[in-house]
Amino acid sequence: IWLAVTSLTTTGYGDLYAQTTSGRLATAFLIYLPAVIFISKMIGDYASYINERREMKKMGLLNLEKLKNHIVIVNVPDVNTHSYLEIMKEQIDNSNNLKNKDVVVLTNEFSGTGLPATLTDWKYVDGNGLSRKDLQKTGIQNATYVFIFGEVKEDDSSILMSLINIKKLGTNARIISEYQDKESKELL
């Protein structure tokens, strides 16, 4: 046991070592025990950090500004949201140009729950395209493609405002947008 504990705490096997039972006990309590506690604390802190990051990712609280050459989906319809995104995922996965890119979804449709389990390889930012701050969190300035959708059927106002905010932030991404009203086509 003495050799195992000495190896675990890396206190060494030098010329000086405890030779008596009381010396070994003192060494164990004064050196080995604090070392084991310190190592255990470090491992626990690291595990907590990983778990916290995983939870932040799930809840859409991570800042993804440093992403590059990715796809940003701005807003999602408030009806059949899950099905809509499943179809998008399938189309992106089947596209040679898009399938290897990171995908970031900006929406508040999943606040408190995170993206559905089938979309766990996508990244998520809790917010909407009406907020420049939320758009920046997606790394939209460095995106390759941006897809903009309306949150509410028959209403292009959120699409137009999102587009204005994206343009003000500046991006060289290819922007693809839906519209409901034929008059909106000219504005887009």
Side-chain angles (χ1 to χ4, degrees), residues 82 86 89 115-121:
H82 181 79
E86 285 293 325
K89 180 175 176 32
L115 287 175
T118 54
L119 300 173
T120 53
D121 55 331

Side-chain angles (χ1 to χ4, degrees), residues 6-23:
T6 301
S7 297
L8 177 66
T9 59
T10 66
T11 54
Y13 315 100
D15 294 336
L16 300 174
Y17 58 91
Q19 296 177 350
T20 65
T21 302
S22 60

Side-chain angles (χ1 to χ4, degrees), residues 13-141:
Y13 315 100
D15 294 336
L16 300 174
Y17 58 91
Q19 296 177 350
T20 65
T21 302
S22 60
R24 288 181 177 172
L25 284 172
T27 301
F29 283 110
L30 297 175
I31 295 176
Y32 294 154
L33 188 60
V36 170
I37 291 170
F38 177 74
I39 290 169
S40 299
K41 171 117 173 69
M42 293 289 286
I43 291 170
D45 287 349
Y46 182 70
S48 292
Y49 170 77
I50 295 297
N51 194 35
E52 184 178 316
R53 292 283 296 178
R54 185 179 298 127
E55 192 63 27
M56 287 179 68
K57 178 185 176 191
K58 177 184 174 188
M59 294 308 195
L61 302 175
L62 289 180
N63 189 334
L64 305 171
E65 285 185 64
K66 294 182 181 177
L67 275 179
K68 294 188 185 306
N69 301 319
H70 58 290
I71 299 167
V72 177
I73 299 173
V74 179
N75 304 328
V76 292
D78 58 356
V79 178
N80 297 323
T81 305
H82 181 79
S83 300
Y84 200 85
L85 289 175
E86 285 293 325
I87 291 168
M88 270 231 33
K89 180 175 176 32
E90 185 179 324
Q91 290 175 344
I92 288 171
D93 289 346
N94 291 329
S95 167
N96 289 332
N97 293 338
L98 305 177
K99 68 180 170 185
N100 294 321
K101 295 191 178 296
D102 286 323
V103 178
V104 179
V105 179
L106 173 64
T107 182
N108 52 20
E109 283 295 313
F110 302 107
S111 292
T113 61
L115 287 175
T118 54
L119 300 173
T120 53
D121 55 331
W122 284 11
K123 294 168 178 46
Y124 163 61
V125 173
D126 187 23
N128 64 54
L130 302 177
S131 165
R132 285 190 204 145
K133 187 176 179 181
D134 291 345
L135 285 165
Q136 283 178 315
K137 287 181 188 177
T138 68
I140 203 158
Q141 294 92 330

